[in-house]
Amino acid sequence: RAPSLAVASTTTVSDALDDASSRGRVVLRVGDARLADDVIDAIGQCPAAARPHAIAWSSLVPAEGAGGLALLESLGYVTVSLSLANGEPSLDAIVDTSRAQALVTLSPEALDALENCAAPAVPAIGTTTIGIDWELRADTGWGVYGTHLALELERDGGVAPAIFAADTTGLPPIARFRLERALREGSDRAGALQRAPGPMHVDALMLRALGNNLAHGPLWGRVTARRNVGVIFFEDSAFDSAALRRAGELDLIIAGSRWNEQVLRARGVTNVATVLQGVDPAVFHPAPRSGLLAERFVIFSGGKLEYRKGQDLVVAAFRAFRERHPEALLLTAWHNNWPQLIADLDLASHVQGAPQLRDGRLEVGAWLEANGVPAAAVLDVGRTPNALMGQVMREADVALFPNRCEGGTNLVAMECMAAGVPTIVSDNTGHQDLVATGVCIPLSHQRPVRAPTQFYRGVDDWGESDIEEMVEALERVYADRTAVTPIARTGAEVMSRMGWSHQVRQLLATLSPLL
């Protein structure tokens, strides 16, 4: 806020310093590097009360002015590099002292003022707020869950969402608009957390994302709360004593499937209730197809590529089915944000090797071709935003999910059912919540799996689907697609009643004693 004065010649240096004394400290703007020595000498000789708040150097080589800058440093000044980042000024440490660059030399008072300006107040989190301690985004199951949870809380208005991390890259514009305030406050909150030397306490209920062995995210110790509720999706049935102690420290645990709840209760965890995730009926609903794949029999398979998800079983079943029906097309959405998980994809010997990662994308087509599925029989959609997946799924004649284990119900399978696609699922673990609806095609022959010890210690209740049963299920749909129409239609109706709006209301009802 201090007045600014340009220094254009040696005669203006003393005028500027006189002005600093009379006008309450100015910012000197030095446009000519040849004036640097004069400016620094004059500042060194004048009283402390007359020294400027800051000196802005339009172009200066730090190495050439090292002596003068050292003198200013002895007077308490700090010199930093000035640049623009996303249209905003950024002050950073000087990295290259040999390059001419814009610099700013700041007095101790200016540094204090700048720090106060750069530290906005942390948005309040009150008792009618639910904190979400995982990242909102459009390309992961957790990210979709968190985004729709925040949207429904905003829509309901009774309880506000408190966001701590978000990647809005793939979020639809309307969702970004609706969450504008929450996202802005979340950004401020994240900044405050970075600056805070210790934990941030919030007088609210925090939802904590939990996974295998009750593993938690980075905010577990950084944000403390009045109430703490875990939201858990796990596939590994082994829990150590420390994990079970963490479970006991929580006010409640929300399980993503009845199977998850049953496993926890069998291990002595009683503060647990099941609330299933939802689907977005605005995106996933029956609608006309484009007709661009009308001459093909399209089999959809989705979910991040890994042994647990059973895509190797899909490949084996598709190879066998395509021998009888060469017009079959495998439509895949197998992008994996954690490609290290595909290392044991060939554990069951249905496939060889795993796709290579190139430029952030799994080379699914080349891997499938090496495993006997020609390129013309595959359409891989890679990383496609969730908001566009409805129109992709509706192109399919059938969806196939022989997953060996699901901690939740399998959001992608739910979305296929909601889109009106006949959906085949393995009858194990979290999938059993979908099988219980009676509106999908179950794979009932489930054998014990070979333990994927590289990533999982416990595989209790996991299931290995039978290839022949999978092919038979595909043949059933192929032979008479109208015969499975009632299943698909009713499946869509059931899923429409499990929209995010309904499921979040159920979640709030479960949390109400703690709010």
Side-chain angles (χ1 to χ4, degrees):
R1 295 289 184 264
S4 176
L5 183 66
V7 177
S9 66
T10 55
T11 58
T12 61
V13 174
S14 57
D15 293 339
L17 294 177
D18 287 342
D19 203 43
S21 180
S22 62
R23 293 172 58 187
R25 313 288 287 278
V26 298
V27 175
L28 298 185
R29 290 184 286 112
V30 184
D32 191 336
R34 291 172 297 181
L35 297 172
D37 290 340
D38 293 328
V39 171
I40 293 169
D41 286 343
I43 291 172
Q45 295 174 20
C46 73
R51 291 172 186 157
H53 277 301
I55 308 101
W57 314 92
S58 63
S59 180
L60 187 66
V61 179
E64 295 177 0
L69 295 178
L71 173 61
L72 292 176
E73 185 177 344
S74 71
L75 300 177
Y77 286 92
V78 172
T79 301
V80 293
S81 176
L82 172 65
S83 62
L84 288 178
N86 297 322
E88 296 292 333
S90 176
L91 300 179
D92 303 287
I94 299 171
V95 177
D96 185 357
T97 61
S98 64
R99 178 178 60 84
Q101 57 198 284
L103 303 176
V104 178
T105 301
L106 301 166
S107 69
E109 296 89 346
L111 284 169
D112 290 341
L114 191 63
E115 184 173 336
N116 291 334
C117 289
V122 181
I125 299 180
T127 54
T128 56
T129 303
I130 290 180
I132 303 171
D133 87 339
W134 63 90
E135 184 180 44
L136 276 61
R137 55 187 303 136
D139 59 351
T140 66
W142 275 109
V144 170
Y145 188 124
T147 299
H148 283 285
L149 172 59
L151 284 168
E152 294 304 328
L153 293 178
E154 282 284 341
R155 187 207 306 263
D156 180 80
V159 181
I163 298 170
F164 288 81
D167 181 348
T168 62
T169 306
L171 295 184
I174 294 174
R176 291 199 300 270
F177 175 80
R178 193 68 179 86
L179 291 174
E180 191 275 334
R181 177 200 58 80
L183 290 169
R184 184 181 67 252
E185 291 183 355
S187 179
D188 292 343
R189 201 172 286 118
L193 261 178
Q194 286 186 332
R195 295 188 299 270
M200 174 190 292
H201 181 75
V202 295
D203 184 27
L205 185 152
M206 281 290 294
L207 294 179
R208 310 286 190 171
L210 302 174
N212 293 327
N213 202 36
L214 270 83
H216 53 74
L219 294 188
W220 178 273
R222 295 285 290 130
V223 178
T224 61
R226 178 175 52 84
R227 296 286 195 181
N228 292 279
V229 174
V231 179
I232 192 164
F233 295 85
F234 66 84
E235 296 86 27
D236 193 323
S237 56
F239 293 88
D240 59 29
S241 57
L244 296 177
R245 281 197 302 272
R246 282 196 298 275
E249 294 169 0
L250 294 163
D251 294 285
L252 181 66
I253 297 177
I254 301 295
S257 68
R258 290 176 177 82
W259 175 68
N260 266 196
E261 178 177 351
Q262 291 164 3
V263 171
L264 288 173
R265 288 190 179 277
R267 283 151 181 76
V269 178
T270 58
N271 56 332
V272 57
T274 297
V275 179
L276 304 183
Q277 57 197 329
V279 293
D280 183 354
V283 175
F284 302 99
H285 56 265
R289 302 182 188 182
S290 70
L292 298 176
L293 302 176
E295 75 283 5
R296 310 295 292 268
F297 182 78
V298 182
I299 302 170
F300 176 82
S301 174
K304 64 180 185 290
L305 188 66
E306 58 174 314
Y307 174 82
R308 177 180 65 80
K309 292 282 189 180
Q311 287 95 342
D312 58 322
L313 293 165
V314 172
V315 174
F318 181 79
R319 278 195 307 245
F321 180 81
R322 187 179 171 276
E323 288 179 2
R324 310 174 195 174
H325 309 287
E327 76 277 20
L329 176 71
L330 182 59
L331 176 60
T332 62
W334 290 348
H335 177 77
N336 192 334
N337 285 331
W338 302 273
Q340 67 273 15
L341 293 178
I342 67 176
D344 59 2
L345 193 58
D346 56 2
L347 188 65
S349 302
H350 295 299
V351 295
Q352 297 296 316
Q356 297 297 307
L357 186 68
R358 187 184 299 275
D359 298 326
R361 183 184 175 108
L362 291 174
E363 295 190 314
V364 171
W367 172 69
L368 285 173
E369 193 163 13
N371 278 278
V373 180
V378 179
L379 171 56
D380 174 47
V381 300
R383 186 200 294 265
T384 298
N386 185 256
L388 298 179
M389 281 305 298
Q391 64 192 67
V392 173
M393 292 172 176
R394 282 189 289 269
E395 297 298 315
D397 295 285
V398 64
L400 178 59
F401 296 94
N403 303 32
R404 293 180 171 92
C405 179
E406 280 295 324
T409 46
N410 185 350
L411 182 58
V412 185
M414 291 177 69
E415 290 169 344
C416 283
M417 293 171 66
V421 179
T423 302
I424 303 168
V425 300
S426 52
D427 190 0
N428 64 50
T429 59
H431 270 177
Q432 290 172 334
D433 288 316
L434 297 184
V435 173
T437 66
V439 288
C440 58
I441 302 170
L443 298 170
S444 56
H445 301 306
Q446 298 290 306
R447 301 189 308 277
V449 301
R450 177 177 176 181
T453 54
Q454 184 171 356
F455 300 111
Y456 301 94
R457 297 176 300 157
V459 291
D460 298 347
D461 305 321
W462 285 38
E464 185 83 10
S465 296
D466 183 75
I467 302 296
E468 289 186 8
E469 185 183 16
M470 293 164 60
V471 175
E472 287 172 5
L474 293 173
E475 287 284 3
R476 174 184 167 192
V477 179
Y478 181 87
D480 189 355
R481 298 175 209 186
T482 60
V484 294
T485 299
I487 294 178
R489 185 191 307 116
T490 311
E493 292 172 358
V494 170
M495 290 299 110
S496 70
R497 297 194 292 271
M498 292 181 64
W500 283 110
S501 179
H502 179 272
Q503 297 310 106
V504 171
R505 284 199 303 272
Q506 186 176 347
L507 176 65
L508 288 174
T510 306
L511 297 176
S512 60
L514 302 176
L515 289 171

